[in-house]
Amino acid sequence: MSDVFGLVLPFFGLIFVGYVVARIVRQPIEALGWMNIFVIYVALPALFFQLLSKTPIEKLTEWTFMFGSVFSTFIIFMIMFLSSLVLSRGEIAESTIRGLSAAYGNIGYMGPGLAILALGEQAAVPVALIFCFENIMHFTIAPMMMALAGSDKEPPLQLAAGVVKKIALHPFIIATAFGVAAAAFGFHAPVALDRLLDYLAKAAAPCALFAMGVTLALRPLKRVPRELGAIALLKLVLHPALCYVMLSLVGNFSPTWVFAAVLLASLPTATNVFVIAQQYHVWVERASASILLTTVLSVGTVTMLLYFITSGMLPPDLFP
């Protein structure tokens, strides 16, 4: 168990440091802008490109793996969305944000750092692939459902073009595409460029986690949503369990890939859910509360999952 704490404490410690610093040094949330730009547009893309470009191309075409991981996320979304739709008597917009709160994990900021720390650099490949395909799903679901709810007044073709643009121009997805292309053509970066990418990649996790802690501190909990219990259960417990079962059913994958997917599924609600809620002016305060509380609860749930993985209590395949 001490090995698990050795993994978890530095990881969540960086979030805590960001939280404490933000509470002591009073700055507006806009001051975090350049840090977020560095993480999203520079450091994490460098990490994904560097590791994907050095991966054999045959490992980047595990379609059944990507289907199992992403489909389990979609099932969690639909469970929360449909149950909320029934209870709210047809509130599509609010039900969409609740569904995203239960399914959209913090796989961008927290995923790479935790997976690589716990499982090694080889975990970056499944992390990058899951990130790309899950974000394609989330970037498609949110505007489509808001259009159905009447919250988005854009014409259908303009809406579709906006979704495609958002997917195609996301820096993580661009970096992943270039990394896959580099692996396919056997491209090797010159020594100087490779060293620069290495510096940037090593800065990704610390900066992302610190920024996340600052964000949580500057969006204090004001209201606990009634749905929080269901959201926390679905996101932190049922999502990783379903992902584990699904991957065991659809194929026989590397333990690192399976555990990386399960770890990503166990992560708390992504801060992007708050951004989407704010964009459409729906469930904003409660989305913020969901992010904060699932993050706090994930300290215990993620620690327990890592203990199961590192101790061998969780086999890499449920149906060997």
Side-chain angles (χ1 to χ4, degrees):
M1 196 67 180
S2 60
D3 292 339
V4 175
F5 283 120
L7 288 172
V8 172
L9 288 179
F11 182 83
F12 284 106
L14 280 167
I15 299 176
F16 180 71
V17 168
Y19 183 90
V20 171
V21 169
R23 302 298 286 181
I24 295 173
V25 182
R26 295 292 179 177
Q27 293 288 333
I29 196 167
E30 290 77 15
L32 195 60
W34 284 109
M35 173 75 85
N36 286 328
I37 288 172
F38 173 75
V39 171
I40 294 171
Y41 286 88
V42 182
L44 284 172
L47 172 67
F48 288 154
F49 173 82
Q50 187 187 46
L51 294 172
L52 286 168
S53 65
K54 297 176 181 179
T55 301
I57 189 62
E58 61 271 12
K59 290 188 177 182
L60 303 178
T61 55
E62 290 279 8
W63 298 110
T64 51
F65 171 83
M66 287 177 270
F67 168 79
S69 176
V70 175
F71 189 59
S72 65
T73 301
F74 179 73
I75 290 174
I76 294 296
F77 170 82
M78 289 304 297
I79 290 172
M80 189 66 207
F81 173 78
L82 292 175
S83 60
S84 176
L85 195 66
V86 171
L87 293 173
S88 65
R89 299 181 181 180
E91 287 287 342
I92 295 177
E94 286 192 6
S95 298
T96 299
I97 302 300
R98 291 182 187 124
L100 291 173
S101 296
Y104 195 171
N106 206 329
I107 55 177
Y109 271 19
M110 296 178 70
L114 180 60
I116 292 172
L117 187 65
L119 304 171
E121 288 194 349
Q122 62 270 29
V125 176
V127 168
L129 294 176
I130 290 170
F131 178 88
C132 286
F133 283 90
E134 285 208 1
N135 274 283
I136 288 172
M137 179 179 68
H138 295 311
F139 291 164
T140 304
I141 284 176
M144 182 179 68
M145 299 309 294
M146 292 305 176
L148 289 175
S151 299
D152 200 323
K153 306 299 183 182
E154 288 185 311
L157 287 178
Q158 188 175 342
L159 181 66
V163 171
V164 171
K165 182 179 179 181
K166 187 177 291 187
I167 292 169
L169 297 182
H170 195 289
F172 292 0
I173 293 176
I174 292 173
T176 298
F178 275 100
V180 171
F185 291 102
F187 171 78
H188 298 286
V191 174
L193 177 59
D194 187 63
R195 189 169 296 166
L196 173 62
L197 291 171
D198 186 56
Y199 288 157
L200 293 172
K202 287 178 179 177
C207 291
L209 295 172
F210 179 86
M212 184 181 172
V214 173
T215 302
L216 292 173
L218 297 180
R219 290 179 185 148
L221 180 61
K222 296 179 181 178
R223 183 176 181 182
V224 178
R226 292 176 298 173
E227 302 87 346
L228 181 64
I231 289 172
L233 180 64
L234 283 167
K235 184 72 214 69
L236 303 177
V237 180
L238 293 184
H239 190 184
L242 180 61
C243 181
Y244 176 63
V245 172
M246 187 69 68
L247 290 177
S248 296
L249 286 172
V250 300
N252 184 23
F253 307 109
S254 159
T256 299
W257 282 52
V258 172
F259 293 143
V262 174
L263 269 177
L264 262 61
S266 73
L267 295 178
T269 304
T271 52
N272 274 354
V273 175
F274 175 82
V275 175
I276 294 170
Q278 207 169 35
Q279 178 183 352
Y280 293 103
H281 309 289
V282 176
W283 220 62
V284 177
E285 191 175 300
R286 299 181 183 185
S288 178
S290 298
I291 294 165
L292 178 57
L293 291 182
T294 54
T295 300
V296 172
L297 292 173
S298 71
V299 177
T301 56
V302 170
T303 300
M304 187 59 65
L305 177 60
L306 282 172
Y307 175 72
F308 288 151
I309 292 172
T310 57
S311 66
M313 293 175 65
L314 189 71
D317 193 338
L318 187 60
F319 310 110

